[in-house]
Amino acid sequence: MKNTSNWVFDLDNTLYKAECGLFDKVHILMGRFIEEKLNLSSGEAQALRSKYYHQYGTTLRGLMIEHKINPDEYLDYVHQINYDVVSANESLKNTIQELKGKKYIFTNANYGHVEKVLEKLKMENIFDGCFDISESDYLPKPHKEIYDSFQKKFNLDNSSTAMFEDLHINLKVPSAMGWETVWVTNNLEYNLNKDVNQQEDIQKIIDEKGYISHVTDNLENFLNNVK
Ligand SMILES: [Mg+2]
């Protein structure tokens, strides 16, 4: 990663570990929103959430397309959570700060959520830019168009850009664009890639997919080794 001068980070379950449970809280509210809006049972709502997540990339996308849900109403609702489970991470902050070049956040969440998470991580002032889902008219990663919008917004040179992400499917497009890709895995129990259930599967996925340049379960160590 010697030539990297643009460091692109996903936010949720990448800059903090999934084990803290923040995203689980969001998932619960996603289910509750669907229950209330579509008048479904809890089980039906969870099944629909999962279905849309896999079919459209985010639950929100499915709700917008299939049910004409207002995205801001949904995003405000699902982020009414207690952010205290996210702790300050001074050493990761220092590591990111010391990287040479520009650092960006590229997320399927919205700015309100980004601000709250970064405040808890004490990383409010270390990024050069952020691209949230409202910038892409609520089209999420892994749709190709929004990587192009992101790249254009910050005028990134593809050959010196690296992206860090916990959902490996979101690394497919950037790899094709010439970016280096780093899959940041979480404790597998919490991994949203439900196809991953054992360590050997990780290697299998890397070999099969061909779009993952590197894998790590510890972002900070990884960055310290390559910077
Ligand atoms: Mg993520």
Side-chain angles (χ1 to χ4, degrees), residues 13 16-25 83 85-87 190:
N13 299 345
Y16 64 84
K17 297 299 279 180
E19 287 88 329
C20 79
L22 187 73
F23 222 58
D24 295 340
K25 293 171 190 284
Y83 285 82
V85 292
V86 179
S87 316
Y190 293 90

Side-chain angles (χ1 to χ4, degrees), residues 68-135:
K68 310 288 178 240
I69 293 294
N70 177 310
D72 291 318
E73 181 190 354
Y74 169 85
L75 289 167
D76 287 346
Y77 185 101
V78 303
H79 291 130
Q80 284 173 1
I81 49 177
N82 183 346
Y83 285 82
D84 288 346
V85 292
V86 179
S87 316
N89 191 340
E90 203 67 41
S91 55
L92 178 60
K93 174 194 173 172
N94 292 337
T95 297
I96 293 175
Q97 215 161 10
E98 286 163 12
L99 296 170
K100 290 189 183 67
K102 304 266 191 185
K103 302 113 197 183
Y104 303 99
I105 289 184
F106 187 11
T107 177
N108 280 347
N110 64 355
Y111 285 127
H113 177 72
V114 174
E115 274 174 23
K116 286 175 199 149
V117 171
L118 290 185
E119 190 186 329
K120 287 293 173 191
L121 287 168
K122 298 237 185 303
M123 293 186 190
E124 303 103 308
N125 301 316
I126 65 169
F127 293 97
D128 297 279
C130 174
F131 189 99
D132 88 333
I133 194 153
S134 69
E135 301 223 26

Side-chain angles (χ1 to χ4, degrees), residues 27 36 71 73 94 111 144 178 182 184 194 226:
H27 281 160
E36 289 174 10
E73 181 190 354
N94 292 337
Y111 285 127
K144 178 167 188 337
V182 183
V184 183
K194 290 298 184 198
V226 298

Side-chain angles (χ1 to χ4, degrees), residues 40-51:
L40 297 175
S41 72
S42 163
E44 288 167 337
Q46 291 304 335
L48 201 63
R49 179 180 70 70
S50 174
K51 177 173 177 265

Side-chain angles (χ1 to χ4, degrees), residues 216-227:
T216 181
D217 63 359
N218 188 316
L219 177 61
E220 186 184 330
N221 286 352
F222 182 88
L223 291 173
N224 278 320
N225 286 329
V226 298
K227 74 182 182 191

Side-chain angles (χ1 to χ4, degrees), residues 10-14 23 107 141 165-167 170 186 192:
D10 169 51
L11 179 73
D12 291 301
N13 299 345
T14 295
F23 222 58
T107 177
K141 296 176 280 183
E165 176 54 79
D166 67 297
L167 295 177
N170 290 345
N186 280 288
L192 290 171

